[in-house]
Amino acid sequence: MRIYQAGPLFTEAERSFHQKLTKELEKAGHIVIWPGALLTDEQIAAAGQNGGELIFNSCKNTLDECDCVVALLDGSQVDDGTAWEIGYAYAKNMPIYGLRTDSRRAGDAQNSPVNSMIAKSLTYTTSVDGLITEIAQAPRK
C-alpha cells in the first residue's frame, strides 16, 4: 500500500518520529511518503514567494497518488496542515489512520482524544504496532 504520512515536521523530535514510523511501515511492506521528504529547504527557498504554493502542490499531488493516509496526532491539538490533509483525504474517501501516542486529552468531548471532526474521520490507534495491525486488516481496493 502507498501511504501518505501526515504530521508536523518542524522539530528534530517530530522528524525523528516520522523517520522511525516510516521504517516500521516499510518493514511491513508499504511504500511511505511524508512531506519532509518531498522538498528540500533549498528548493523551498529557491521558490521565493512561491514557496507556499510549491509546498501545497507537492503535498496535494502526492496525496492524490496514495492509497491511504497515516496521520500523526500528537500535541495539544492536531497540526493545522495535518488537519487539512485529513479533511482532503476524507473528502476523497481515502482510508485514514490516526496515531496518537500523546496521553494528554485534546478533544472537545469527554474521552475524546482529539477534536471530534478529526476523530470521526479516521481509524484511531495509540501505538505503532496497533497502526500496522489496522492497516493490515483494511480491505484492499
Side-chain angles (χ1 to χ4, degrees), residues 15-122:
R15 289 186 299 274
S16 179
F17 190 79
H18 270 287
Q19 291 165 346
K20 177 185 171 191
L21 180 57
T22 294
K23 287 178 185 174
E24 292 299 316
L25 290 168
E26 287 174 343
K27 276 198 269 185
H30 304 292
I31 298 167
V32 182
I33 300 110
W34 60 287
L38 294 176
L39 299 166
T40 65
D41 291 339
E42 292 78 19
Q43 288 172 306
I44 296 167
Q49 291 181 331
N50 296 322
E53 185 175 347
L54 176 64
I55 293 168
F56 177 84
N57 287 327
S58 295
C59 291
K60 182 189 158 300
N61 293 340
T62 301
L63 260 165
D64 288 337
E65 297 170 356
C66 288
D67 302 309
C68 73
V69 171
V70 165
L72 305 181
L73 307 175
D74 288 348
S76 59
Q77 66 182 46
V78 175
D79 172 73
D80 48 357
T82 304
W84 185 91
E85 291 159 333
I86 290 168
Y88 183 76
Y90 185 83
K92 292 178 60 78
N93 294 314
M94 291 175 72
I96 308 160
Y97 302 93
L99 173 62
R100 183 171 176 83
T101 64
D102 196 328
S103 62
R104 296 173 288 182
R105 184 180 161 271
D108 46 4
Q110 188 173 352
N111 300 323
S112 180
V114 293
N115 177 285
S116 295
M117 298 304 286
I118 300 295
K120 298 303 177 188
S121 299
L122 48 76

